[in-house]
Amino acid sequence: MSALEPRISENSDAAPPTPPGGGILGAAYRTLSVGIISVIFLIAFEATAVGTAMPVAARDLDGIGLYAFGFSAYFTTSLFGMVLSGQWADRQGPLRPLSVGIGAFAAGLVCSGTATVMGVFVLGRAVQGLGGGLVIVALYVVVSRAYEERLRPAIMAAFAASWVVPSIVGPLAAGTVTERLGWRWVFLGIPVLVVVPLIVALPAIRRTASGPVDTGGAAPAAFDRRRIRLALGISVGAGLLQYAAQDLRWLSLLPAAVGAALLVPAVLGLLPRGTYRARRGLPSVVLLRGLAGGAFIGAESFVPLMLVTQRGLSPTLAGFSLALGGVTWALGSWVQSQGRTAPYRERLMVAGMVLVALAILTAPAVMAESVPVWTLALGWAVGSLGMGLVVGSASVLLMRLSAPEEAGANSAALQISDALANVVLLAVGGAAFAALGGGAVGAGHVVEAAAGGASHPAAFLVVFLPMGCVALVGAWVATRLHERTAPAAGKTP
C-alpha cells in the first residue's frame, strides 16, 4: 500500500454531520447524481433484460453451441476494459473513458441486435463488455473525485437503488418485447436510452471531475504498459478457462492450462499485494468483493434453472422469484449509507456475508416438494440484503483507502476481483453441474432443460454447497478490513 494512502482504524469511519441542502440531490450535486445514476440504471436494465432474451436469440441464430460465450465474452473483455479505464482515468480523468465506454456499450448492443450469425452476436457482446468495463470503473473515479467523503455512502446506496426497478420490470419487459416484437428489439431499444445519460451526466462530470489529478506541477505518469499487458492476459486467460469448463473433454486440459498460465501472474500483478492472503486493509476489501459477488452470482445463476427443472415453474415465474432481491439489496445499501451505522461498518459486512451464506446454503431445500417455492424467494431476499450491506460498504472503504491518484487503479482492482470471481466460480460450478448430469448450461445460464426432464438434484447441490462455503470464507475476510493502528507513543494500548 502506498504511503500516501489514508489509513482507517476501527472507529474512523464515522461521518460528520451533513450540512442543510448538502446531500447528493442538493443544488451542488443534483445534475451529476441524476446523470450517473441514469447510467447505472441503463446498465442494470440491460443486465436483466438481455439475460431474458438470450435463449431465444441463440435458438434463432442456430447458436446454442455458442450460447455460453454470449455471457463469457462480456465478462472477459470487461476485465480488460476495467484495467484500461483505471489507467486512463488516473492520468486524464474519467470523462473520456466514460464517454468511450458508453459508446462501446451501445455499439455492442447494436452489433448483437443486428447479427445474423451467432459469431457476430458474440462479437457484439465482447464489444459491449469492453464498454461496460470502461464505464463502471470511470464512475467509481467520478464518485471519488466529485463527492465529499460524507456523501459517498449515499451515492453508492443510490447506485444500488437504481437496480430495483430493472430487477422487477426488466424480465417482464424483455419477455413481452421478445414475444411481441422479437428478441432483436431488446438489444436495439436500449442504445436509444444512452442519449439521456450522455446529455445529463457528461457536462456535469466535465465541470466536477475531469482532467488529471493535481500532481503539484509534475507531469502525469504515462500509461503502465505492463498493467495493460497483464489486463490482456487476464481476459484471454479467463476466456480459455471458460471454454475449457464448458467442453468437458481431455483435450480441454490444454486450453485450461494455457488459461491458468496467463491468468495467475496477471491476477497477482493487477490486484493489491497480499489480496489472496487476506492481508488487512485494502487487499481484504478487494478480496471480499470477489468472494461476495462470485458466490452470490454463481449461485443465483442456477436458481431459475432449479425452479424450472425441479419444481416445474415457467421461466418468467422463476425469474420473478429473484425480483424481491433487488428491493432488499437497495435496502441493505441504504442501511450502510446511514451515518449512525458507519462506526459499525465491519460488523455489518460480517453479518451481510453470513446472510449471503445462509441464503445460498438453504436454497436447495426448495427441491423438496414439501417446501413452498416462496421460501426460496424470501431466503434470496435475505441474501440480497446482505449483499447490499457488503457491496456498498466495500466501495466506501476502497475510496477511503485510496490516494486520489490511485483511485482508478484501485477501483479497477475491486471490479476485477468481482468479475474474475464470477467467471471462475461460474465456470467451476457449471463444469461440476454438467459432470453430474445437470443438463446443458453455459456460464451458469440455461441453454436447455436436461435430457429426459428434470435434472438430478445432486447436480444442484454440488453448485450451491461450495458457493455457500465461499460466502462463509468471506465472512471471515470481513473481519480483516480495517488495519490495526499502532498505539501512540507513551500510551498503553
Side-chain angles (χ1 to χ4, degrees):
M1 183 183 299
S2 168
L4 295 176
E5 290 177 337
R7 299 175 181 269
I8 57 176
S9 62
E10 295 293 342
N11 296 316
S12 65
D13 201 21
T18 302
I24 62 172
L25 293 179
Y29 296 100
R30 185 181 301 118
T31 302
L32 177 63
S33 297
V34 170
I36 62 177
I37 290 171
S38 298
V39 175
I40 295 293
F41 182 89
L42 172 66
I43 293 174
F45 189 81
E46 180 277 336
T48 56
V50 167
T52 302
M54 191 77 77
V56 180
R59 287 196 299 268
D60 187 48
L61 297 174
D62 193 24
I64 291 296
L66 296 175
Y67 177 87
F69 291 99
F71 293 96
S72 61
Y74 183 98
F75 285 125
T76 53
T77 55
S78 69
L79 289 167
F80 180 77
M82 290 168 188
V83 178
L84 178 61
S85 184
Q87 293 267 308
W88 200 349
D90 282 343
R91 285 152 182 78
Q92 299 181 14
L95 183 62
R96 290 182 180 179
L98 182 60
S99 302
V100 173
I102 291 177
F105 189 82
L109 284 166
V110 172
C111 181
S112 293
T114 57
T116 57
V117 295
M118 192 63 178
V120 176
F121 181 91
V122 171
L123 175 62
R125 291 289 290 166
V127 174
Q128 187 187 346
L130 176 64
L134 288 169
V135 167
I136 193 65
V137 171
L139 286 178
Y140 272 66
V141 176
V142 169
V143 171
S144 70
R145 290 194 184 187
Y147 291 85
E148 301 173 43
E149 185 176 327
R150 63 182 176 81
L151 296 178
R152 292 172 187 167
I155 192 65
M156 298 312 300
F159 281 2
S162 67
W163 279 79
V164 173
V165 173
S167 67
I168 297 173
V169 176
L172 179 60
T176 302
V177 170
T178 300
E179 293 174 5
R180 300 293 179 87
L181 301 177
W183 64 267
R184 295 183 185 278
W185 289 104
V186 175
F187 291 84
L188 296 176
I190 295 175
V192 177
L193 303 177
V194 173
V195 176
V196 175
L198 277 175
I199 292 175
V200 176
L202 297 185
I205 294 172
R206 184 179 291 109
R207 292 193 303 270
T208 59
S210 62
V213 174
D214 184 6
T215 57
F223 275 81
D224 187 339
R225 295 182 180 179
R226 174 178 173 273
R227 290 184 67 86
I228 298 298
R229 289 195 299 270
L230 291 175
L232 184 60
I234 203 173
S235 294
V236 175
L240 288 173
L241 285 179
Q242 282 274 18
Y243 172 80
Q246 294 154 23
D247 186 23
L248 299 178
R249 298 181 298 169
W250 286 109
L251 290 176
S252 299
L253 292 177
L254 179 58
V258 175
L262 291 170
L263 193 63
V264 172
V267 169
L268 294 177
L270 291 172
L271 299 186
R273 183 174 299 177
T275 295
Y276 289 106
R277 298 195 308 273
R279 199 180 76 185
R280 288 190 174 277
L282 181 64
S284 285
V285 173
V286 172
L287 176 60
L288 178 62
R289 177 62 178 268
L291 294 176
F296 189 79
I297 299 302
E300 185 178 65
S301 297
F302 286 87
V303 168
L305 178 58
M306 181 171 64
L307 293 176
V308 169
T309 60
Q310 302 298 305
R311 297 301 298 268
L313 269 67
S314 68
T316 300
L317 288 178
F320 272 117
S321 69
L322 306 175
L324 183 59
V327 178
T328 55
W329 188 313
L331 175 61
S333 191
W334 176 82
V335 169
Q336 67 80 32
S337 73
Q338 301 305 295
R340 57 182 176 274
T341 63
Y344 311 103
R345 191 174 299 282
E346 182 178 291
R347 296 179 185 177
L348 285 176
M349 296 176 79
V350 173
M353 287 308 302
V354 171
L355 294 178
V356 171
L358 288 175
I360 296 173
L361 292 172
T362 58
V366 78
M367 289 188 289
E369 291 291 338
S370 60
V371 178
V373 172
W374 60 262
T375 60
L376 185 143
L378 182 60
W380 214 252
V382 171
S384 297
L385 174 67
M387 285 296 290
L389 294 172
V390 172
V391 172
S393 291
S395 301
V396 172
L397 289 179
L398 178 107
M399 293 173 191
R400 288 182 61 84
L401 287 165
S402 299
E405 67 275 12
E406 297 177 349
N410 290 343
S411 296
L414 190 76
Q415 298 299 327
I416 288 170
S417 178
D418 187 15
L420 183 61
N422 285 342
V423 170
V424 172
L425 290 179
L426 280 171
V428 172
F433 183 76
L436 290 182
V441 297
H445 295 269
V446 183
V447 177
E448 57 187 9
S455 303
H456 196 283
F460 290 100
L461 290 175
V462 80
V463 172
F464 284 93
L465 296 183
M467 298 294 181
C469 291
V470 170
L472 289 176
V473 173
W476 170 75
V477 174
T479 66
R480 302 179 57 79
L481 303 180
H482 289 81
E483 294 183 327
R484 303 300 187 191
T485 54
K491 293 185 179 182
T492 302

